[in-house]
Structure formats: C-alpha cells, structure tokens
Amino acid sequence: WRAVQKAHRSGKAKLAGRKYIRFFSPCGKHKRITSLERAVQLDAADRGLDVSKRLEEVGLVARKSQANHVSRHYTPRSVMDQFARGRDKAIDAFRSRFGTLSKGRVLALPAWKAEEQSFKCGQKLVRYVSPEGHRFDRLWKIEAHYGAELLVAGSSDADGSGGG
C-alpha cells in the first residue's frame, strides 16, 4: 500500500493548499482510499485475514508510523495535550504578573500596532504586531508567547544560570 500526500488545488478558499492523504493498494484494485482504517479493512479482506484482529494489530503500528512519516501536519493527541498544558501554564504566568490583555492595553505598549482586515461577511480580523515583528491573531497567543519567556527566564534564574 502507498500513502500519498496531496494538496487541495481549488474549491472552497479555506481548503486550497491544505494537505490530505489518500491510500492506494499495490495491485491497483483500491484507489484513493480516504482513511487508514478503511485501507487496512480492504487489505485484510483481500488477503482473507480477520479484519477486526488486523485492525487491532495495525492500530498500534499506524500511530507510530503516522507520527513519523505520513503527514507533517499530524500530531498525536498526547503531544497536543502536553502543548495545551504548557500553553496554559505560560498564559497563567503572564496573567499573574501583568493581568489579562485587551486590545487597548496591547496598543498602549510602545511600538505595538494592530492590523485590521475586514471581510465581506462583516467580520474583522485583528493582527497585533510586536516591536520585534511577531504577528499574533489572538490576545491569548501574545500572553502565551511572553508567558513562556517568563517561565524560561524564571527556570534559568532558579538554576543559578541567570545573569547578574
């Protein structure tokens, strides 16, 4: 079986350029299969194997192989959970020191600016630009970014490797 990563060429604007995976059997009998689970089912049926047993066996192997090579956009749930916990810690660190950000507070900071983009549907997107050129589309992302810097600086001070 082959797993081929492709990109949407057209269609809805939000899908253009987004990646997806299709599976192809080596004999050419099965083409453009949309899920790994369905590809395993078809393969097991073609080879006369117990489908549920094969799904169970491959389920463990598939998680490892997907994380390693099939899609650069695939992230295992445990990694996403760890990231979310780290992000939440960073936001908490920022808010405990500086409070919650608002658009007014960000724009009151020296050299910060906002870029607004309006859409036909009436919605607006605001991107906040830091003095260093970082762009943030959500206030909590600013809090997470600078909160992470606070945590890193705090851990280096605790290790005795801080400046001074």
Side-chain angles (χ1 to χ4, degrees):
W1 284 79
R2 286 183 307 131
V4 179
Q5 186 177 43
K6 298 183 175 209
H8 289 280
R9 290 190 215 164
S10 61
K12 295 183 179 180
K14 66 181 179 180
L15 292 179
R18 292 195 58 189
K19 308 260 192 235
Y20 63 96
I21 297 174
R22 293 295 179 258
F23 298 92
F24 298 83
S25 66
C27 64
K29 180 178 177 183
H30 306 291
K31 300 176 184 176
R32 296 180 294 279
I33 306 303
T34 59
S35 73
L36 179 60
E37 181 179 1
R38 183 70 181 138
V40 171
Q41 289 172 343
L42 292 169
D43 182 59
D46 288 350
R47 295 180 4 186
L49 302 172
D50 180 20
V51 174
S52 60
K53 183 178 178 187
R54 189 69 183 131
L55 279 172
E56 189 176 315
E57 290 172 358
V58 176
L60 298 173
V61 175
R63 275 188 232 126
K64 290 177 186 172
S65 65
Q66 272 189 332
N68 290 331
H69 77 284
V70 173
S71 171
R72 288 181 289 144
H73 301 286
Y74 173 79
T75 308
R77 182 59 141 174
S78 61
V79 172
M80 291 180 354
D81 291 343
Q82 288 174 352
F83 171 76
R85 283 193 297 274
R87 179 195 64 211
D88 292 343
K89 283 182 185 176
I91 291 170
D92 290 342
F94 181 90
R95 288 180 179 171
S96 68
R97 185 155 179 196
F98 301 109
T100 304
L101 284 179
S102 66
K103 181 178 179 181
R105 289 185 72 190
V106 172
L107 296 179
L109 295 170
W112 277 79
K113 58 184 177 181
E115 299 172 342
E116 289 193 11
Q117 181 179 356
S118 298
F119 296 97
K120 290 179 184 177
C121 62
Q123 292 184 339
K124 286 185 181 181
L125 171 67
V126 179
R127 283 192 192 92
Y128 303 96
V129 184
S130 73
E132 300 87 20
H134 298 295
R135 286 180 159 67
F136 301 94
D137 60 352
R138 302 282 187 270
L139 291 168
W140 66 263
K141 290 182 179 181
I142 298 171
E143 295 171 338
H145 178 80
Y146 290 103
E149 288 186 2
L150 286 172
L151 291 174
V152 169
S155 67
S156 65
D157 289 346
D159 294 340
S161 57

